[in-house]
Every structure is written in C-alpha cells, then in structure tokens.
Amino acid sequence: MDSAEYEAKIASRFAAFDQDGSGSIDREDFSGAAAALLAEFGTAARSDKGQALYSGAEAFWQGMAGIADVDGDQRVSRQEFVTGAVKRLRDSPARFAEIARPFLHAAIAVADEDGGGVTPAAVERALRVLGVDRAAAERVARELDADGDGRIREADILTGFAGYYVTPEP
C-alpha cells in the first residue's frame, strides 16, 4: 500500500471517531462513545464499570490529542488525524493500542455480561453502537474469535483495533 492509499485508509477511519459528525474529534466524541456503550449494555454511568469506561475514554482522548492535536485547540481535525496517524503511528501500531488500552479494557468489562469473557455477539453489539455497519461488525466479531471458543481475548481486540486504525494493510 503506497503512502496515498494509506492516508486515504486512515482518513476513512476518522468518521468512526467523529461520533457526533461535527467534522472534528474532541473529548465529547469519546465520552459520547462511552455513554452509548453503557446504554447498549445497560450499565450505569456511576457504577465502577461505568466510571472505568469514562476514565478510559478520557485517557484515550488525551492520548489521541497528544499525538494529533497539532494546533492545541482541543479538537483533532481530519487532516490532523491523518497526519498524526501517518507520522507517528504507522510504524508503531502497538503505541496506538497502548493509547486505546484503558478504554478498550473498560469496554470489554462492560460488554462481558456474564463474567466469562466477551462474546462475538457482544463485540458485534459494541461495534454497531459505535457506528460500524452490520456486515463489518459481524465479520470482525467472527474474525476476532480466532480459536472459535465463543470468547474473545483482550489482546486480540487490542491487536485488531490497532490494525484497523493504523496499519497499512487493506
């Protein structure tokens, strides 16, 4: 994948973060994603899981802003997102996974409804509430359950998430 194709891929991922469709990514997009996940899984915002998810969303936002908010206006424009991903994350998807880890860890705890681990169905629900179309959400959930045991490991979710957002593979 050449540089222009990679930049186009990353630009297409911008909309997933711009939850409110404002044309930029900001703190409210992350807290809005947390609220949507809590509502989907019937988890109270003031519960331990709810507070962990909001804290994870804030940490994710801070990491994203630290990488991409070049002008310091507390918003990440589409161009800042593309530039930040291309310049700082393309060769280090693990760095992106570390930025996302607190949010994803907390989201997994919310989606793990029976305490036995997150299921493909729960991952699909989470992806759908975050704006992923049904077909893609089904495919991703199936692929993440690589061993077919009906449970998806956190490490697999982190790897898949980072790969989707920052690696050059199509």
Side-chain angles (χ1 to χ4, degrees):
M1 178 179 292
D2 68 25
S3 184
E5 289 174 316
Y6 177 71
E7 287 188 28
K9 173 193 170 185
I10 296 303
S12 73
R13 305 307 192 233
F14 177 82
F17 282 109
D18 183 14
Q19 292 280 302
D20 62 9
S22 68
S24 64
I25 303 167
D26 57 28
R27 176 176 277 111
E28 288 72 30
D29 290 310
F30 286 83
S31 62
L37 284 169
L38 292 173
E40 175 67 21
F41 289 95
T43 304
R46 293 196 182 270
S47 69
D48 289 344
K49 287 181 179 182
Q51 290 300 294
L53 188 59
Y54 277 114
S55 292
E58 177 62 20
F60 196 1
W61 161 246
Q62 291 295 329
M64 172 80 69
I67 287 172
D69 184 15
V70 177
D71 61 11
D73 66 354
Q74 294 297 298
R75 289 186 314 247
V76 175
S77 69
R78 186 174 187 268
Q79 187 56 50
E80 284 175 322
F81 182 79
V82 171
T83 301
V86 170
K87 290 189 174 175
R88 297 190 175 110
L89 297 174
R90 182 176 186 172
D91 296 324
S92 183
R95 183 173 177 208
F96 186 74
E98 286 308 309
I99 291 166
R101 182 183 299 277
F103 178 75
L104 292 174
H105 179 76
I108 289 165
V110 167
D112 181 2
E113 297 178 291
D114 65 5
V118 68
T119 65
V123 167
E124 183 181 336
R125 284 174 58 200
L127 291 171
R128 294 278 300 132
V129 79
L130 294 174
V132 176
D133 71 73
R134 182 173 305 280
E138 288 174 0
R139 180 182 49 77
V140 168
R142 216 177 24 256
E143 289 172 3
L144 286 174
D145 184 15
D147 63 5
D149 70 352
R151 302 295 172 161
I152 302 171
R153 297 175 333 127
E154 182 172 329
D156 294 332
I157 291 171
L158 282 167
T159 300
F161 189 82
Y164 179 78
Y165 282 100
V166 299
T167 59
E169 289 79 28

